[in-house]
Amino acid sequence: MDILKNAHRLPVLDWNLNFFGGHYQQVANDWFVPQDKHQAFELIFILHGQECLTIEHEKYHLNQGDFVLIPPGFRHTAQAIDQLTYFCFHFDLDEPNFIVQLIQNSPVFFPKWIQSTEKFAQF
């Protein structure tokens, strides 16, 4: 029995991933992060509530289930809007060509990535 006969296989990658700064927290409605930028990618996922995020000169209104991927060197600020709980982490890779492709070809905003964070929490 071939349990993977219908699988769509991904390529084997020999990269190093540096994952750091991972955290989640619930914040007050007056919570604000002043302008910041990093030399790594930052991913912010909204577990509950709402957040206003500005990346360079673009504003994004994030709701539960949305996430953003902030590329390295992009200036950004964040502000809680209503009962915000978020998950955040930073990462970097040692493959320069993939980093360039990710920056040039990936959207920043991913609305409602999953239907419900409750479903996410069940895994």
Side-chain angles (χ1 to χ4, degrees):
M1 182 168 109
D2 186 2
I3 62 172
L4 296 176
K5 70 179 180 181
N6 296 318
H8 297 275
R9 296 181 184 261
L10 299 174
V12 174
L13 305 172
D14 186 16
W15 298 342
N16 289 308
L17 170 68
N18 184 18
F19 176 91
F20 61 97
H23 66 279
Y24 76 93
Q25 70 172 333
Q26 182 177 3
V27 296
N29 288 344
D30 62 353
W31 180 81
F32 177 77
V33 178
Q35 190 173 77
D36 197 8
K37 69 178 180 176
H38 316 285
Q39 294 307 310
F41 290 93
E42 180 175 3
L43 187 138
I44 301 170
F45 180 77
I46 306 303
L47 296 168
H48 182 77
Q50 299 176 336
E51 178 179 76
C52 180
L53 186 71
T54 302
I55 303 173
E56 292 296 332
H57 301 291
E58 292 288 323
K59 283 193 181 240
Y60 300 92
H61 185 96
L62 306 174
N63 294 295
Q64 180 177 338
D66 296 345
F67 79 87
V68 294
L69 180 62
I70 304 169
F74 280 48
R75 294 170 297 177
H76 56 280
T77 62
Q79 179 177 355
I81 296 174
D82 185 36
Q83 301 177 356
L84 175 63
T85 303
Y86 70 94
F87 171 68
C88 173
F89 66 88
H90 299 81
F91 70 93
D92 197 11
L93 298 163
D94 68 349
E95 176 49 51
N97 292 329
F98 181 72
I99 291 171
V100 168
Q101 290 296 316
L102 191 56
I103 292 170
Q104 291 177 346
N105 299 314
S106 179
V108 170
F109 179 54
F110 297 83
K112 200 80 166 184
W113 177 246
I114 56 176
Q115 289 300 314
S116 163
T117 55
E118 287 79 28
K119 289 180 185 177
F120 178 72
Q122 291 174 1
F123 288 104

